[in-house]
Amino acid sequence: MTAIAAGHPTVAPVPFDPEVQAVLDELAANPQPPLTRETLPREGADRMFPDNDTVIAGRAIDGEDRVIPGPAGAPDIEITVFRPTGSSGRTLPAFVNIHGGGMIVGHRSWETGRVVDIVAEHGVVAVNVEYRLAPEDPYPAGVEDCYAAFVWVHAHAAELGIDPERIVVGGGSAGGGLTAAVALLARDRQGPVMAGQLLLCPMIDNTNTTVASRQYDGIGTWQRELNLLAWSCVLGDDLAFSDEAPAYAAPSRAADLSGLPPAYIEVGEAEAFRDEDTEYALRIWATGGQAELHVWGGGAHGFDMYMPEAEISRAALAARASWLRRIWRAAR
């Protein structure tokens, strides 16, 4: 089995899992035009996936779109709140979701399915957050929106029926990177304490210098060229790939990873973010912090979204669910 069907890796890549490879082959048979600054989708992103009512139909879950204050001097933030039907008057743990998309594309509705599944499995309140995207709104717009949303949820916990000591923040890819940045901001600003940070294949290193970043150049799902575009949009040409970039934009740049909430770090073995995510866990451990690290063999970036029926996806979902149960129980 070969890992290379196309592309131009400069280092031999780890092979994809066979079930992952089969889906990648299907995607390669219907290639999409490459994204550029000029072709980033901005209209209709909220209509690309089923709406809230469609996703929760037949499930004992209620959903409500709300608008909350943004950071000082910035626009308001749209959120969606999901809760178990009939949970009014109860105090529940909470999950705050930050969507992926490289901080340049995406909409919270893209991950409604993932969020609603967490509500259904764990009986928690979930808040799905919208945030400003680059390049129209470069750093620090997106991370400040996400931090403001977390602070708002914590401050309005009683109104939302949430236990403020059991709020987990999480997301995949860019959402994972933004989650890590929100955890850093909360520590440094002495803001609310989150119970845990769920970092799914987080996008945290802007330099694109790891071995993994060269192994998946032109192959897999989220590829090197798109990652370079994303960081240039978020940070601008001067800082895009610099080790002087702000840590709240690229958490790998943080000099100090002590005093952070427990982290769950998940990444595919066969993706560009493998090394930066593994290194992040090592650095947290070096401070005496908690980081549960899972590197899924043969997994491409975002494999659970692209290949939800694959064996590694089922295993990954079970591991996440176990960590969430343990974190919410420990914070009780």
Side-chain angles (χ1 to χ4, degrees), residues 13-215:
V14 177
F16 296 111
D17 174 271
E19 290 182 283
V20 171
Q21 183 69 64
V23 176
L24 292 176
D25 290 343
E26 292 179 10
L27 294 172
N30 297 284
Q32 300 299 310
L35 285 180
T36 66
R37 284 177 181 251
E38 292 70 33
T39 62
L40 291 172
R42 288 294 179 261
E43 299 297 328
D46 58 336
R47 299 188 296 275
M48 294 178 64
F49 285 75
D51 62 21
N52 297 336
D53 291 342
T54 300
V55 175
I56 64 177
R59 308 178 82 166
I61 294 174
D62 300 323
E64 175 191 11
D65 291 325
R66 298 186 63 167
V67 177
I68 64 174
D76 290 342
I77 298 169
E78 296 178 357
I79 63 171
T80 305
V81 181
F82 296 100
R83 65 176 63 253
T85 300
S87 62
S88 178
R90 296 162 53 197
T91 301
L92 302 174
F95 178 71
V96 176
N97 184 73
I98 303 173
H99 72 77
M103 295 177 276
I104 58 173
V105 296
H107 188 271
R108 69 188 187 283
S109 62
W110 294 17
E111 297 182 7
T112 298
R114 169 189 278 170
V115 175
V116 166
D117 284 346
I118 290 174
V119 175
E121 180 170 3
H122 298 283
V124 300
V125 176
V127 179
N128 205 5
V129 178
E130 202 62 41
Y131 57 89
R132 289 170 289 172
L133 300 173
E136 296 88 346
D137 292 291
Y139 172 83
V143 68
E144 290 291 355
D145 285 353
C146 296
Y147 181 72
F150 168 56
V151 171
W152 183 91
V153 169
H154 188 274
H156 291 77
E159 170 194 341
L160 296 168
I162 287 172
D163 181 346
E165 296 185 357
R166 290 197 286 166
I167 301 174
V168 171
V169 182
S173 194
L178 288 164
T179 297
V182 168
L184 289 167
L185 278 171
R187 178 198 66 183
D188 295 346
R189 293 178 179 176
Q190 298 183 317
V193 176
M194 64 178 72
Q197 48 179 328
L198 183 74
L199 311 180
L200 308 177
C201 51
M203 176 184 173
I204 54 176
D205 182 6
N206 63 300
T207 64
N208 296 273
T209 55
T210 66
V211 170
S213 73
R214 296 189 172 99
Q215 287 179 304

Side-chain angles (χ1 to χ4, degrees), residues 290-309:
Q290 294 177 262
E292 181 168 319
L293 173 66
H294 294 262
V295 182
W296 294 101
H301 183 72
F303 60 87
D304 66 303
M305 303 289 279
Y306 287 95
M307 308 96 180
E309 299 305 317

Side-chain angles (χ1 to χ4, degrees), residues 202 204 265 267-268 273-285 293-295:
I204 54 176
I265 302 175
V267 68
F273 294 165
R274 181 196 64 223
D275 298 347
E276 63 199 67
D277 294 351
T278 303
E279 178 68 18
Y280 204 68
L282 288 168
R283 292 182 58 209
I284 291 173
W285 292 329
L293 173 66
H294 294 262
V295 182

